[in-house]
Amino acid sequence: MKRSTISSCFHAYSLIMMLICFALCLVATSQLTTDFYAKTCPNLAKIVRKGIQSAIKTEMRMGASLVRLHFHDCFVNGCDGSVLLDGSDSEKLALPNLNSARGFEVIDAIKSSVESECSGVVSCADILTLVARDSILLSGGPTWKVSLGRRDGLVANQTGANVSLPSPFDTLDAIISKFRVVGLNITDVVSLSGSHTIGFAKCATFSNRLFDFNGTGSPDASLESTMAGELQTLCPLNGDLNKIAPLDRNSVDLFDNHYFKNLLNNKGLLGSDQLLYSSELAPSTTKSLVESYSSDMNLFITDFVNSMIKMANISPLTGTAGEIRKNCRVVNS
Ligand code: HEM
Ligand SMILES: *[C@@H]1O[C@H](CO)[C@@H](O)[C@H](O)[C@H]1NC(C)=O
Ligand SMILES: *[C@@H]1O[C@H](CO)[C@@H](O)[C@H](O)[C@H]1NC(C)=O
Ligand SMILES: *[C@@H]1O[C@H](CO)[C@@H](O)[C@H](O)[C@H]1NC(C)=O
Ligand SMILES: *[C@@H]1O[C@H](CO)[C@@H](O)[C@H](O)[C@H]1NC(C)=O
């Protein structure tokens, strides 16, 4: 009898604590919502979709470039549109973006369509999130609901872009750490790397693998030899390092799981791609996921969508933080 009083008292106490915690959690996450612009910009999704359709019609690769832009935004100071800012501290001048990040004019065009219909209410960070989502869909991939309500940052962070964005020359360990810093885990590393099922990379990002890898006098041993030969022709020594090769040679513009099948055959383009399967660290981290995704498209899609949502929710500015930029390239005066 006494025991059950104590126990029900304990239950009531823990129930209250749980309710308080639940309420706090709700407050913390309810700042981003799927219907954030329902009243203030009801046609937002349509305007963005139209803008992407027209950009991709002009150039199929643009979908890939825009997905990458969203990723490079979110890894530096969170998803705050900082990658879009011009100026002396611009992230566009950081090593991973310089002469490489593209699609800014497409964002400008979509932002100006959005502004002409609902002026001053939709952030550049949210536009970039919607743009990435639609780019995946229009490349033949899945779609999902995105939470909105991000606000735009007031500063760019060139140092942040130099140090936080993964490099194709990083070790697997370094890549995993750069994801962990922003709250993403090994599943996210592998599923999001699956974005390399679309788009292109410059010779500059993989030519180190082609002739004298690590001073061996030979190409990277984990690069399939016919592919290595073809890439040597595209990217000869002292040649033009701006030439490009598809990240997924099998189905260049189509969002599918062929990227992972390639890795099983040593046909990853970037050193960092192939490491997910071939690194010494891979068996204890990423390898089994590469194998699973290579044989199970649905699992890849499910995990990819979850990871895209996680990435889009990295440190958003909400409430009264930041601002709604009028022009994505400059902070409001
Ligand atoms: C895991 C670490 C990653 C590394 C080291 C990496 C590195 C790279 C590099 C070097 C390029 C080629 C850039 C150029 O030559 O101009 C590239 C392209 C691309 N990346 Fe990644 N990336 C990583 C993860 C991601 C993630 C997480 C996403 C998206 C969620 C992504 C999406 C893309 C896309 C779509 C392209 C093609 C862009 C285009 O064609 O313009 N990457 N990446
Ligand atoms: C970032 O890297 C670029 C390219 O290497 C370099 O020119 C720039 O000075 C770096 N910026 C900062 C702030 O470290
Ligand atoms: C820039 O990014 C670095 C690395 O993430 C971070 O330590 C620093 O606080 C950021 N600076 C600004 C001004 O946001
Ligand atoms: C990564 O996080 C997701 C939840 O966001 C979880 O489902 C998954 O199991 C985690 N993966 C690893 C390897 O911990
Ligand atoms: C290549 O060299 C780097 C740096 O010396 C080393 O960490 C890496 O393990 C080497 N990789 C191979 C495949 O030999």
Side-chain angles (χ1 to χ4, degrees), residues 171 213-216 220-222 275 280:
T171 61
F213 186 69
N214 264 11
T216 56
D220 187 339
S222 63
L275 287 179
E280 274 176 27

Side-chain angles (χ1 to χ4, degrees), residues 61-72 75 96 98-102 165-170 175 179 188-189 192-206 243-244 247 259 270 272-273 276 304 308 311:
R61 179 189 177 189
M62 190 49 76
S65 305
L66 292 167
V67 171
R68 183 166 186 245
L69 221 45
H70 174 54
F71 155 51
H72 282 201
F75 268 55
L98 189 65
N99 200 14
S100 169
R102 55 203 297 281
L165 292 170
S167 153
F169 314 118
D170 277 346
I175 290 172
F179 277 68
D188 304 314
V189 170
L192 292 175
S193 293
S195 301
H196 291 175
T197 174
I198 52 175
F200 292 79
K202 295 184 182 209
C203 293
T205 64
F206 58 83
K243 288 207 181 136
I244 55 169
L247 284 157
Y259 166 82
L270 305 177
S272 51
D273 291 326
L276 299 177
F304 177 80
M308 283 296 283
M311 185 174 81

Side-chain angles (χ1 to χ4, degrees), residues 77 155 157 160 163-164:
N77 286 21
V155 292
N157 189 346
V163 304
S164 307

